[in-house]
Amino acid sequence: MLQVSIYRYNPEVDNAPHMQEFEFDTEGKDLMVLDVLEAIKAGHDSSVTYRRSCREGVCGSDGLNINGKNGLACITPLSETVKNDKLVVRPLPGLPVIRDLVVDMSLFYAQYEKIQPFLKNNSPAPAIERLQSPEDRSQLDGLYECILCACCSTSCPSFWWNPDRFIGPAGLLQAYRFLADTRDTATDERLSKLDDPFSVFRCHGIQNCVNVCPKGLNPTKAIGHIRTMLLNRAT
Amino acid sequence: MRTISFDGVIVGGGGAGMRAALQLSQSGYKTAVISKVFPTRSHTVSAQGGITCAIASSDPNDDWRWHMYDTVKGSDYIGDQDAIEYMCSVGPEAIFELEHMGLPFSRTEEGRIYQRPFGGQSKDYGKGGQAARTCAAADRTGHALLHTLYQNNVKNETVFFNEWFAVDLVKNQDGAVTGVIAICIETGETVFVKSKATVFATGGAGRIYASTTNAHINTGDGIGMGLRAGVPVQDMEMWQFHPTGIYGAGTLVTEGCRGEGGYLVNKDGERFMERYAPNAKDLAGRDVVARSMVLEILEGRGCGEHGDHVKLKLDHLGEDVLESRLPGICELSRTFAHVDPVKEPIPVVPTCHYMMGGIPTNVNGQAITVDEQGKDHIIPGLYACGEVACVSVHGANRLGGNSLLDLVVFGRASGLFIESALREGIELRESAQSDIDVAGERLRHLNESSGGENVADLRRELQNTMQNHFGVFRRGDFMQEGIAKLAELRGRVESVSLDDKSDAFNTARIEALELQNLFEVAEATAVVAEARNESRGAHAREDFTERDDENWLCHSVYHSEGKKVSKRGVNFTPSTVETFEPQIRSY
Amino acid sequence: MVTQVTSFSRSGLSDWLIQRLTSVILLAYFICLAGILLGGVDYSAWKAMHDTTAMRIFTLLAAMSLAAHAWIGLWAVYTDYLTERMLGPRGHVIRRFCQLGTVLALVIYLLWVIQILWG
């Protein structure tokens, strides 16, 4: 029997959050954490609240804190996270809880928008595509795949303390995605907006982001590249 | 109830919705997108292999007319040729726009967009062999596309109502659509979102089946809202079963795997598609491949303990190709099939994937209704694009890579048309309070419900009925049984229980509303599938095994009132090319 | 762009560079001292060494580095933990108070070092 402990908070009835315990029979199957939540919502308590969509790890809806580590419920198998038949599911840390496992991601999205996550190129577009060599394109690998699940930023102490001023690993990964794109011509403008003591430089290289990213991306490395670009620009 | 007004409201934040929204925002009109999930969580994100379009990168002599030929043939000749012509000819422009917006396509050595072979593709009207026409960003094309569109909507300051759920359409006394009733999921507030143009881009409804590649959110909300408001739906019997869903999990493995050289094998290790489609082999139309797989399994050549699946072999492609061209597939396969495709074949089975049918529209995205005499009429105020719409470019079977092209081209076309209509001035009469009350009735009924059955149980029953009675192969008597089961289910779905009546982020309420939408889709599918007495494209009947062009070279149209089925003519008059006459379809 | 008047240089890059540069200077200074001390040195030799202009400048440089390094480091700590977000509305006042105290202490220490070196 799996002991499932779920963080519950309904602002309409609860003064404070609490953990609710469920007994769950996996019938010996190695389910994903999302399967367990779905079964609990379907069979035990329809009021258990969480986000989910694709259930295959590409939409980024179900980032949760699972047995103490941030990850996507839909691609985290029980065998990977459960020890001693105990599964503890909490919302992503550091963001306000709306209800149960659902957090308010406004601050996270605001930081993403702040880096102007769109290609800027002021030269007139050609009649066909802009050409880009496979080598130049490969600079975007490991960057564009981000699914905005927020597992990284909400595991980052610097983001916990300054979510309004530190862009956070997810936003910075995307900032570098556009800095690294040979088709983007706004490099200098982008760098100017990052050269303050908070946006980039609150990263202290803790690397929680790298440790939890469900897509295996490396925001710390991207942040290092941004620092180098800022340095090269200044000297 | 509060009223919020916009020039254009788009329901759905996937590829089609965001492409339409982008077009309208760029033109300066006050545009809002209502999306029940944050837009990048929409199901477009799961599209893998690519977007098919004759941009002449892989083959400098490629021609959109060849793409059109393939698409007409793939549709088993019930795709509208004017719409297919529009999609294939405008496609390159739409793709280049996406590239200019920043979409990180994979590249060729010349620096152009990388194109891979996909099923059903040919050169020179089927005479020049396999074409490579599907533009790709590795195997994450949908993700790259959706994020690019979201980013450009951010740039153009589109208003997003994220995590808002559209409940039902509001019409006025003239039958024109004036907006939707929507709930803010976070607060539970219900508002009337009023608009001169309401665009449905709500995506598919694969969740009517128990086994599907579709996301949990694909519940056919647009179809449900449409049918309840008296909007007809077209070709709803046409459901694509994708040949390669991962056995057990249902997650998609792109056709691009076979495009890159992978192939299917049965338990004897035989490449069985060589028998069913000697020329195209594993790259025949999806309907053909899916049926061949089911036949292999039925004839006892399936793999595994229960002999209930086949395998997709990729290991011969080598680790380098797999990791560079199909990295997402390697990841999915390891997670969901516990198989490393570099070393072993992936267990796969045909899985519900795409709804070819939907709300009938013209190439401008304007929704169409059909009267008793079979005459088309435009429904003022209502538009549809993407999977929820039936333009129809896919007919009875969609080709791989054509769905992303469909949503980009027709999302854009809807936006362009609404832009010009707004410029000329759209005059719709105001809805009366009673009209708004009518639209709010379903929600009110649900909120006041007591008793009733559990959403999850009813949903499972619905999905199993569809899976068992309306699957890859269909038979009249068995479908009638299914229809009877659905008829019995209707009342239970309408009086579904809602124990949790709270306002804050109440997903139980949303799931109940979604279940009712799923039901509408399922019933339309069932009734029309039973009516179409032939086999065409994805609709394969055991009791009518042949295509019947004399009686059924037409669209089916389902009207919710009285559950009537009528026929609608297919367009055979493209404006710049000769008509592609129906032929025997072989690969 | 987030600007903050109390940051050392108002540029994240400069702060970051100064942090690294000062740490190199401090490392060099302390390795130098450690080498001399481990090599065995009596009080008069130690004093004579510190009376040379080169050593005075080196010591002053190290002291200034320490002050800059400490200020940037503590400023980051204060703006992480002593904020309105962490402490409520009083956070702002508490942070300013601590920053003022730190500045005062660092300036006094620096003056003291100068007095010892040249006094």
Side-chain angles (χ1 to χ4, degrees), chain B residues 337-517:
Chain B
H338 307 294
V339 158
D340 184 351
V342 175
K343 300 191 187 104
E344 316 169 56
I346 310 172
V348 290
V349 69
T351 306
C352 171
H353 183 57
Y354 189 85
M355 174 175 84
M356 268 78 73
I359 295 173
T361 69
N362 59 22
V363 291
N364 297 319
Q366 293 176 287
I368 287 168
T369 187
V370 184
D371 68 17
E372 301 266 330
Q373 286 73 45
K375 207 164 162 280
D376 287 357
H377 297 279
I378 283 164
I379 303 172
L382 184 64
Y383 302 78
C385 54
E387 191 170 344
V388 68
C390 183
V391 186
S392 144
V393 287
H394 308 307
N397 172 62
R398 173 173 74 76
L399 293 186
N402 267 356
S403 59
L404 291 186
L405 186 65
D406 171 12
L407 62 83
V408 170
V409 167
F410 291 105
R412 180 178 178 273
S414 305
L416 284 168
F417 179 82
I418 294 166
E419 183 187 338
S420 65
L422 285 167
R423 193 159 294 133
E424 284 167 23
I426 297 176
E427 290 306 325
L428 294 178
R429 284 205 270 180
E430 294 277 323
S431 288
Q433 186 56 45
S434 57
D435 297 321
I436 300 171
D437 291 344
V438 167
E441 188 48 48
R442 177 171 74 113
L443 181 60
R444 206 160 26 251
H445 180 74
L446 180 67
N447 285 339
E448 287 162 6
S449 71
S450 60
E453 288 170 77
N454 179 307
V455 171
D457 294 342
L458 289 170
R459 190 170 53 210
R460 201 172 305 121
E461 198 174 326
L462 173 73
Q463 289 167 339
N464 287 336
T465 305
M466 294 307 292
Q467 190 77 30
N468 295 334
H469 294 268
F470 304 92
V472 175
F473 285 102
R474 298 162 173 183
R475 208 176 69 207
D477 55 344
F478 212 53
M479 285 195 281
Q480 279 156 15
E481 245 176 70
I483 291 171
K485 283 187 186 172
L486 289 175
E488 184 267 331
L489 202 54
R490 174 174 277 278
R492 294 158 61 201
V493 167
E494 280 172 358
S495 56
V496 59
S497 83
L498 180 66
D499 296 332
D500 178 5
K501 298 214 166 48
S502 59
D503 285 326
F505 223 101
N506 187 337
T507 50
R509 176 182 289 125
I510 302 300
E511 286 191 21
L513 293 168
E514 287 174 336
L515 170 68
Q516 294 174 343
N517 290 331

Side-chain angles (χ1 to χ4, degrees), chain A residues 12 51 55 99 128 130, chain B residues 99-100 107 163 212 504:
Chain A
E12 288 166 45
R51 295 185 174 106
R55 61 81 173 89
R99 177 174 176 173
I128 59 164
R130 288 197 162 90
Chain B
E99 196 282 334
H100 299 154
R107 299 287 171 158
E163 297 182 329
T212 174

Side-chain angles (χ1 to χ4, degrees), chain C residues 47-65:
Chain C
K47 189 166 186 309
M49 184 189 73
H50 279 286
D51 284 340
T52 61
T53 311
M55 195 59 200
R56 276 180 179 152
I57 291 171
F58 195 19
T59 304
L60 181 65
L61 196 64
M64 284 162 55
S65 295

Side-chain angles (χ1 to χ4, degrees), chain B residues 291-305:
Chain B
R291 272 195 297 277
S292 309
M293 290 166 73
V294 173
L295 287 173
E296 284 299 298
I297 292 166
L298 290 175
E299 287 167 14
R301 291 188 293 277
C303 305
E305 199 184 328

Side-chain angles (χ1 to χ4, degrees), chain A residues 178-192:
Chain A
F178 288 98
L179 287 167
D181 197 325
T182 50
R183 299 170 296 169
D184 191 280
T185 54
T187 307
D188 199 59
E189 181 195 336
R190 290 180 187 280
L191 288 174
S192 313

